[in-house]
Amino acid sequence: MYQPEEKQPLTQPKQPHPKTHRRRRDAGKGRFTKRDCFALIWIGHQYGIRLDHLQLLLGRFPGRGATYTNWISGSATRDVVTRWEKEGLVRVERLEVDGPFWIWLTPKGLRRMGLSYTYRDLRKLKDVKGEDLTHLYAINAIRLDIEADEPEAHWISERALRQGQIRLKGQTLLHRPDGVVVFPDGKTVAIEAELSMKKPFELEEVLLELLWGEAYLRRKTEYDRQTAREFSRGNRSPYDQIWYFAPKTIRRHVRRARERLFADLTISQQEAERIYIAWYPLPHSDEESTQEEREDNEALGLDDEDEEEERLDAEGEGDRER
């Protein structure tokens, strides 16, 4: 007789053991990117940056699908700044009426970036002679412009130049430029953002210290200034060139100082040509850049020399044809 097979009780399939996810060490913290590190170090060296300049700085690392390759939108920039601020790396405040926000590193931000600078509160920057926000904005604009043209150029900030300097009582320190640029070919350029009028004699002394360096400063402590000038002719500072960026009125003032030093034989023609006086605000077109260069060449008399050389060359060609 047929006996049906006894049914085996159904068993539930063995369920896989749920995976346990280990909590990341950086859970709850924003991811830190190469762009973050680059931008925060840049800001730390420069004391601070305004939001519109930060758009250009962050634009060097545009995100996926970015519309532009040299800047990012204001909203995207504010998102980055908000993340930094939440991590306690930066301070963000509107320091100018109706102007964009300024951003600067907190003590924590400086430590995180490995920068050993003393904390500087930008809200107090206006109290320091020659270091107001307008001047800082100009220096940042100049640095951004130079780095856009020469990405491999190395910028040494005024903050880095100042670090470690100790002024003893009664001691005079060598004039410190607003920045120094070392180009890939080794050319070293001192940068000056000259936005206010100096006394003529004071400006001449700054120019000579930038041209002649420590040797001139040392001789000024040993002799009177005129003797120091006579003994320092031929000395050379580490700077191959000195670039002054200035508004129109100040440019005339700097050029007159350069002309006086050349006219009384304090400096040579070659030394005068090491001082280049450029526009600020910066040129916005190739035409303005050409006009800027022509303006300084005319002040040095270089255009006249070029025209004379062209005339002599033309005469030489004519003589050979005859």
Side-chain angles (χ1 to χ4, degrees), residues 41-60:
I41 289 175
W42 197 101
I43 296 167
H45 282 306
Q46 294 298 112
Y47 293 111
I49 194 170
R50 209 172 77 172
L51 189 70
D52 51 339
H53 278 165
L54 184 57
Q55 289 179 248
L56 298 172
L57 187 65
L58 294 176
R60 297 183 188 176

Side-chain angles (χ1 to χ4, degrees), residues 52-194:
D52 51 339
H53 278 165
L54 184 57
Q55 289 179 248
L56 298 172
L57 187 65
L58 294 176
R60 297 183 188 176
F61 295 85
R64 187 178 300 173
T67 306
Y68 302 98
T69 58
N70 59 350
W71 70 287
I72 66 173
S73 68
S75 59
T77 305
R78 284 189 289 272
D79 288 343
V80 173
V81 172
T82 298
R83 179 163 52 80
W84 292 345
E85 192 176 19
K86 286 180 178 177
E87 294 187 40
L89 302 176
V90 298
R91 185 76 183 263
V92 184
E93 286 206 28
R94 195 187 302 276
L95 301 177
E96 301 163 297
V97 178
D98 298 327
F101 289 100
W102 280 84
I103 302 99
W104 66 98
L105 269 61
T106 61
K108 177 182 176 180
L110 290 169
R111 290 193 302 271
R112 179 83 175 270
M113 294 300 103
L115 300 174
S116 57
Y117 298 130
T118 301
Y119 173 68
R120 175 67 64 85
D121 190 337
L122 285 200
R123 293 173 301 177
K124 300 177 181 178
L125 198 61
K126 293 181 180 180
D127 299 331
V128 183
K129 183 180 179 182
E131 293 182 354
D132 61 12
L133 292 174
T134 304
H135 188 245
L136 177 55
Y137 185 83
I139 297 167
N140 286 349
I142 293 163
R143 178 177 178 180
L144 287 167
D145 186 67
I146 290 173
E147 290 177 340
D149 287 341
E150 290 281 355
E152 299 303 316
H154 174 59
W155 177 280
I156 304 170
S157 69
E158 186 268 350
R159 196 174 195 179
L161 294 171
R162 170 183 286 186
Q163 193 173 36
Q165 281 192 330
I166 300 174
R167 183 192 292 270
L168 301 176
K169 187 175 181 180
Q171 181 188 21
T172 302
L173 296 178
L174 186 70
H175 177 78
R176 181 181 54 248
D178 294 321
V180 174
V181 186
V182 182
F183 289 93
D185 62 0
K187 182 173 75 174
T188 303
V189 178
I191 302 296
E192 290 283 355
E194 195 78 359

Side-chain angles (χ1 to χ4, degrees), residues 242-260:
I242 298 99
W243 293 358
Y244 266 82
F245 293 82
K248 188 173 183 178
T249 303
I250 308 298
R251 288 200 300 274
R252 292 198 193 105
H253 184 56
V254 178
R255 288 193 180 109
R256 282 196 291 267
R258 181 179 61 183
E259 289 165 8
R260 284 193 302 271

